[in-house]
């Protein structure tokens, strides 16, 4: 009997007839068999998805691909890219700040105190008001030498190093609009007036108590309460050359004689300063949580003086990382910021001293008054990563463990210079759009690309500063100084990094709400 044949018995007879069958291959009915297998497999997977939801992620897409092989359309459409709010979280249109402070020097030690008050108008119309009292203490030391005949012409060169620690406590109120802020100012003025009345008029207690009952003052709780610890070190250096009064020159025995021959009293000098500082700020945000901010910076300036006129050019860089957590310690967001400034200062400085006006040691016994005007160009860039889900929070914690206070590597490519602005190009010269980091990048880099808020603004500052100093040497050097200043800052250009596009890019676009006067 041939292979592949079997004996088949015909019922009507006892004859057994061999019947041969051709074995089936992968052709012919194979497509139907495969389709049946695919449908059956899909049904089994569907059952697993229904009864075991935890494995459903990604299974739906695989199921549709299997059914598509059998020519069955499950109707699945590709999920669109999720839209996230990437507009700036904080962008000041303008700010005004005033400060006053004093400093006392005793030998190589110094102590001081400063109080500042600032208001900011934000891009969303809110008003932030911050008051910061602060205290400082530090040590200083240096060396110098004089040269010249000590009668008609003198010169000196000096070097001084200082180390200063500061402690500041800040209180910030945030108001929804200008009207709410004006109401706060009225309430604060009423409160201060009543307190002064109670202190100055001994018989006004009942009247003040009655006023508080009829019209109580409503001072809201602050939105932010902060404490800042700062350590700063700086080095000052200078060289000077000056002459005594040409109409009243000193004689060899130290007396004066009138010459009345006219002339010019020269006062020439060059000086510079290098400063490095580090800060840690802890702030409690009402209704949000606690933020810890770590910042570091460096600055330098070089200047000169001719007679009583002074001028200086300066540049500075400051970087900071703020980690925000909620009341349960869960990560809310991380904000990275960079500030670069250049400035020019013009001013007047008048020195006064008793005794011989040709004495080179004017700072030992005497005083000094100064006033100056500074124009600053400031470029600020910020990146904020928000963590809204437990998975994102865990990712943020891993990033902090691996990178510390440094931002994701691709964030450094997200900054750009403003066209025609050499200042912002000091931060970065990148003009290329941000691109998708790819599937092999760390998850925090992908998070930064897909959801990170990136924005920058450029502003002009105008600062008017005044100061008075007096010093006296009696074995130890004693000195007192006071200073006061006002500052106006206006934003003239702002951009933010737009959301990802379908081609995997993010590009900067103008952010008009942050520009001062944009609504005018």
């Amino acid at each position: 009997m041939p292979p592949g044949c079997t004996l088949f018995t015909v019922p009507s007879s006892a004859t057994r007839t061999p019947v041969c069958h051709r074995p089936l291959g992968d052709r012919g009915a194979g497509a139907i068999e495969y389709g049946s297998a695919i449908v059956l497999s899909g049904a089994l997977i569907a059952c697993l998805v229904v009864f075991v939801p935890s494995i459903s992620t990604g299974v739906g897409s695989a199921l549709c691909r299997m059914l598509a092989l059998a020519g069955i359309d499950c109707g699945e459409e590709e999920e669109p890219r999720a839209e996230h709010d990437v507009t700036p979280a904080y962008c000041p249109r303008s700010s005004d700040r005033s400060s006053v402070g004093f400093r006392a020097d005793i030998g190589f030690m110094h102590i001081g105190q400063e109080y500042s008050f600032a208001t900011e108008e934000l891009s969303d119309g809110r008003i932030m008001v911050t008051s910061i009292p602060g205290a400082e203490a530090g040590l200083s030391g240096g060396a110098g030498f004089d040269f010249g005949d000590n009668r008609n012409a003198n010169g000196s060169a000096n070097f001084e190093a200082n180390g200063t620690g500061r402690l500041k406590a800040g209180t910030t109120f945030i108001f929804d609009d200008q009207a709410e802020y004006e109401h706060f100012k009225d309430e604060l003025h009423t409160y201060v007036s009543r307190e002064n009345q109670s202190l100055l008029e001994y018989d006004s207690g009942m009247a003040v108590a009655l006023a508080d009952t009829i019209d109580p003052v409503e001072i809201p709780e602050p939105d932010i309460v902060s404490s800042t610890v700062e350590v700063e070190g700086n080095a000052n250096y200078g060289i000077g050359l000056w002459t005594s009064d040409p109409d009243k020159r000193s004689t060899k025995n130290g007396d004066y004689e009138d010459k009345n021959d006219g002339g010019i009293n020269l006062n020439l000098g060059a000086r510079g300063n290098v400063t490095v500082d580090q800060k840690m700020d802890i702030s409690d945000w009402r209704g949000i949580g606690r933020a810890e901010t770590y910042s570091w910076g460096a600055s330098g300036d070089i200047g000169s003086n001719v007679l009583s006129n002074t001028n200086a050019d300066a540049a500075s860089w400051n970087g900071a990382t703020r980690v925000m957590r909620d009341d349960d310690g869960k990560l809310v967001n991380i904000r990275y910021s960079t500030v670069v400034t250049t400035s020019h200062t013009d001013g007047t400085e008048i020195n006064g001293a008793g005794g011989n006006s040709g004495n080179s040691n004017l700072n030992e016994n005497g005083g000094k008054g100064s006033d100056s005007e500074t124009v600053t160009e400031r470029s600020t860039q910020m990146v904020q990563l928000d963590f809204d889900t437990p998975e994102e929070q865990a990712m943020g914690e891993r990033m902090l463990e691996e990178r510390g206070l440094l931002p994701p590597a691709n964030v450094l490519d997200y900054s750009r210079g403003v066209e025609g602005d050499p200042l912002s190009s000091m931060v970065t010269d990148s003009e290329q759009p941000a691109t998708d980091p790819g599937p092999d990048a760390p998850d925090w880099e992908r998070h930064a690309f897909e959801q990170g808020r990136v924005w920058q603004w450029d502003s002009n500052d105008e600062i008017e500063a005044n100061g008075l100093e007096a010093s006296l040497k009696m074995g130890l050097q004693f000195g007192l100084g006071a200073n006061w200043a006002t500052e106006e800052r206006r934003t003239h250009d702002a951009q933010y990094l737009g959301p990802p596009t379908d081609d995997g890019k993010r590009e900067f676009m103008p952010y008009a709400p942050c520009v001062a006067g944009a609504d005018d």
Side-chain angles (χ1 to χ4, degrees):
M1 185 173 53
C5 299
T6 60
L7 292 175
F8 181 77
T9 302
V10 180
S12 58
S13 67
T15 305
R16 302 180 66 187
T17 304
V19 178
C20 299
H21 302 276
R22 177 182 296 176
L24 295 178
D26 291 339
R27 293 178 296 176
I32 299 177
E33 294 169 353
Y34 287 147
S36 301
I38 291 173
V39 172
L40 179 58
S41 300
L44 292 174
I45 294 176
C47 290
L48 290 175
V49 171
V50 172
F51 293 105
V52 190
S54 61
I55 68 169
S56 62
T57 303
V59 172
S61 298
L63 174 59
C64 283
R65 287 194 295 270
M66 292 177 64
L67 293 177
L69 294 177
I72 302 175
D73 184 8
C74 65
E76 183 189 62
E77 296 181 359
E78 183 179 354
E79 292 185 5
R81 182 186 295 271
E83 289 290 338
H84 299 278
D85 183 11
V86 294
T87 55
Y90 159 85
C91 194
R93 292 179 179 176
S94 61
S95 67
D96 296 277
R97 180 179 179 270
S98 58
S99 63
V100 60
F102 78 89
R103 170 172 162 158
D105 296 280
I106 305 174
F108 57 86
M109 298 183 298
H110 64 265
I111 58 174
Q113 190 167 1
E114 183 183 68
Y115 179 83
S116 65
F117 183 84
T119 61
E120 290 182 304
E121 180 189 6
L122 305 186
S123 57
D124 57 6
R126 292 182 299 166
I127 306 294
M128 294 184 65
V129 179
T130 303
S131 62
I132 304 178
E136 68 174 51
L139 304 173
S140 61
F145 64 91
D146 300 334
F147 53 88
D149 63 10
N150 204 33
R151 290 184 298 152
N152 301 319
N154 301 272
S156 71
N158 62 80
F159 173 84
E160 183 181 40
N162 299 280
T164 303
R166 296 186 179 91
L167 179 63
K168 300 179 180 180
T171 302
T172 300
F173 299 87
I174 304 177
F175 305 99
D176 291 335
D177 51 36
Q178 186 70 29
E180 187 175 328
Y181 170 53
E182 294 296 334
H183 175 73
F184 168 78
K185 289 199 299 183
D186 293 341
E187 292 292 289
L188 188 61
H189 177 73
T190 301
Y191 173 79
V192 173
S193 298
R194 292 178 183 177
E195 288 294 311
N196 290 338
Q197 185 179 1
S198 299
L199 293 174
L200 300 177
E201 301 177 18
Y202 68 92
D203 58 348
S204 63
M206 183 175 295
V208 172
L210 181 61
D212 288 339
T213 303
I214 297 175
D215 183 20
V217 176
E218 299 177 353
I219 303 295
E221 291 291 326
D223 294 279
I224 306 172
V225 178
S226 63
S227 299
T228 303
V229 177
E230 177 181 2
V231 178
E232 178 184 277
N234 63 67
N236 302 287
Y237 51 91
I239 184 171
L241 175 67
W242 59 89
T243 65
S244 59
D245 189 338
D247 290 337
K248 203 169 189 179
R249 294 177 182 171
S250 61
T251 62
K252 291 183 178 180
N253 60 9
D255 297 329
Y256 292 112
E257 61 179 4
D258 291 331
K259 304 297 291 184
N260 296 320
D261 56 358
I264 299 176
N265 184 7
L266 292 178
N267 182 14
L268 305 175
R271 60 185 182 275
N273 171 275
V274 176
T275 300
V276 293
D277 65 86
Q278 186 170 358
K279 302 177 185 178
M280 178 180 179
D281 176 278
I282 299 176
S283 56
D284 292 310
W285 294 58
R286 183 159 56 92
I288 301 178
R290 168 169 290 196
E292 295 182 359
T293 303
Y294 307 86
S295 61
W296 48 93
S299 64
D301 67 68
I302 185 170
S304 63
N305 60 280
V306 178
L307 301 179
S308 61
N309 298 318
T310 64
N311 65 82
D313 291 290
S316 69
W317 176 91
N318 181 271
T321 299
R322 190 196 74 182
V323 181
M324 174 78 76
R325 298 181 182 276
D326 63 17
D327 294 332
D328 297 326
K330 297 178 181 178
L331 199 58
V332 176
N333 59 57
I334 301 177
R335 179 181 293 177
Y336 308 93
S337 63
T338 302
V339 181
V340 175
T341 68
T342 58
S343 64
H344 178 78
T345 301
D346 290 308
T348 302
E349 193 173 281
I350 301 176
N351 291 284
N356 187 351
S357 63
N359 190 337
S360 64
N361 296 318
L362 289 178
N363 290 329
E364 292 187 355
N365 298 282
K368 181 174 69 174
S370 63
D371 68 87
S372 63
E373 294 184 0
T374 302
V375 177
T376 299
E377 181 69 19
R378 180 184 305 267
S379 181
T380 304
Q381 298 178 326
M382 289 190 172
V383 176
Q384 179 168 311
L385 305 181
D386 300 313
F387 306 100
D388 301 325
T389 66
E391 292 78 13
E392 292 176 353
Q393 292 165 352
M395 172 190 61
E397 298 290 359
R398 293 196 306 273
M399 182 183 68
L400 288 173
E401 291 179 2
E402 182 165 328
R403 296 192 60 80
L405 299 177
L406 296 176
N410 59 333
V411 163
L412 301 177
D413 299 329
Y414 292 175
S415 303
R416 64 179 290 267
V418 179
E419 184 177 356
D421 183 2
L423 170 66
S424 60
S425 63
M426 294 172 61
V427 183
T428 176
D429 58 2
S430 173
E431 292 291 341
Q432 302 299 320
T435 57
D436 193 317
D440 297 331
D443 50 0
W444 49 79
E445 292 189 11
R446 295 200 55 80
H447 183 70
F449 173 78
E450 295 173 356
Q451 303 183 33
R453 302 173 190 256
V454 183
W455 70 103
Q456 76 169 32
W457 68 93
D458 295 306
S459 59
N460 296 115
D461 304 2
E462 294 184 2
I463 305 171
E464 294 185 3
N466 302 271
L468 292 173
E469 296 180 19
S471 60
L472 177 65
K473 186 171 185 179
M474 296 187 303
L476 286 176
Q477 184 80 30
F478 296 90
L480 290 174
N483 60 82
W484 58 98
T486 59
E487 176 182 341
E488 294 183 357
R489 183 177 303 166
R490 302 292 181 265
T491 300
H492 60 80
D493 186 68
Q495 312 88 27
Y496 77 102
L497 198 62
T501 58
D502 292 337
D503 58 353
K505 296 180 180 180
R506 295 182 64 179
E507 298 191 17
F508 275 93
M509 55 185 62
Y511 189 60
C514 191
V515 176
D519 296 336
D520 298 341

